[in-house]
């Protein structure tokens, strides 16, 4: 007598959430943090000012047909520079360079940190020792002197030079953090299963490990962008950048050269310095919301 086996019911695997749903969930988590909301609003305001600078600025960035070192007036809300340029107009136009350098250098630094950090954390042997030596070399050298030396050597390169200098000196810390997280994830079961299934190391690193480090990478980007904005302003203030462009850093440089504080032109120093501080603070505040993605305990309103 033969027994008839009943067919096993098929396991229904739910569809994976779409990219838009994942993005909406992440955005909702970040927006739920009060500090991150403030940071997003401030950053969005600066980006809008930079994008619509030609419509918002009352005068051109280099228009200098006005009285020199004039005090604030209805025509010039923040006064004029020693060269007869409108301070408010330069402040608005300067947001383009400062934001562009900060976001571009922060993005490039993060990409390099991801490539080196994940490779460093996964590979072993001689290759890991070489990467370890290079990263530690950049970590032990003080950042500011290294930036000054490289900027002085590459003088005359304009905005591209500033970005290169910031990227060269700003990727090492992110690479070390990502390396530590990669080593932690390497011992997980899903990575071991991928290794035994014959997956190539490149696919394991960038398809299995990388998606689990999204919040850490995003947080590293905002930190790198903040450092890039401050570095750009510092290099321009020291006269190591391109003084012919209009940015918040060059405004500080020319204000210092014209002895703005001694002549009572406080706005020449205070206005760009305040914008740099607010922009850097906005990115730092957004990072609080990004931390809540990987660690639910950091989310505001979370139950203990």
């Amino acid at each position: 007598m033969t027994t008839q086996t009943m067919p096993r019911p098929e396991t229904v695997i739910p569809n994976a959430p779409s990219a838009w749903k994942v993005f909406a969930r992440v955005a909702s988590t970040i927006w739920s943090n009060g500090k991150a909301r403030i940071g997003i609003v401030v950053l969005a305001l600066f980006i809008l000012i930079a994008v619509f600078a030609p419509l918002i600025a009352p005068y051109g960035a280099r228009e200098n047909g006005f009285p020199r070192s004039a005090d604030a007036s209805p025509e010039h809300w923040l006064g004029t520079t020693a060269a007869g340029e409108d301070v408010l107009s330069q402040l608005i136009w300067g947001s383009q360079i400062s934001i562009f350098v900060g976001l571009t250098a922060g993005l490039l630094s993060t990409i390099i940190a991801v490539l080196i950090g994940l490779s460093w954390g996964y590979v072993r042997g001689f290759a890991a020792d070489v990467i370890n030596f290079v990263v530690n070399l950049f970590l032990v050298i003080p950042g500011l002197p290294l930036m000054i030396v490289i900027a002085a050597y590459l003088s005359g390169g304009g905005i591209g030079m500033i970005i290169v200098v910031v990227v060269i000196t700003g990727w090492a810390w992110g690479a070390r953090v990502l390396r530590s997280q990669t080593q932690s994830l390497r011992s997980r079961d899903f990575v071991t299963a991928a290794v035994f299934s014959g997956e190539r190391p490149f696919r394991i690193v960038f398809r299995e490990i990388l998606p689990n480090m999204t919040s850490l990478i995003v947080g590293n980007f905002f930190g790198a962008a903040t450092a890039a904005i401050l570095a750009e302003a510092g290099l321009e203030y020291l006269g190591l950048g391109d003084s012919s462009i209009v940015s918040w850093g060059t405004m500080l440089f020319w204000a210092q050269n014209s002895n703005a504080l001694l002549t009572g032109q406080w706005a020449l120093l205070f206005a760009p310095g305040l914008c740099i501080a607010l922009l850097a603070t906005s990115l730092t505040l957004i990072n609080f919301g990004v931390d809540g993605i990987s660690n639910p305990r950091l989310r505001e309103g979370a139950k203990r």
Side-chain angles (χ1 to χ4, degrees), residues 2 4-5 42 64 66-67 75 101 104 113 123 127 140 143 146 156 170 172 174 199-200 232 243 256 260 262 288 297:
T2 59
Q4 184 176 4
T5 59
V42 174
N64 56 0
F66 308 110
E75 292 79 16
V101 171
T104 303
V123 301
V140 298
L146 180 61
E199 295 288 351
R200 293 177 298 175
E232 183 272 336
S243 58
Q256 186 267 342
L262 296 179
F288 284 102
R297 295 182 179 180

Side-chain angles (χ1 to χ4, degrees), residues 77-99:
W77 289 5
L78 297 178
T80 61
T81 66
E85 300 160 332
D86 183 64
V87 176
L88 178 60
S89 298
Q90 287 201 332
L91 196 67
I92 295 174
W93 286 101
S95 62
Q96 294 181 332
I97 299 297
S98 298
I99 293 176

Side-chain angles (χ1 to χ4, degrees), residues 7 25 27-28 30 36 62 73 132 170-171 181 185 204 217 241 253 262 271 277-278:
R25 189 180 306 165
S28 176
I30 297 176
R62 285 299 184 183
S73 64
N132 181 65
W171 61 269
Q181 185 67 13
L185 293 174
I204 293 175
I217 294 173
F253 170 74
L262 296 179
L278 288 176

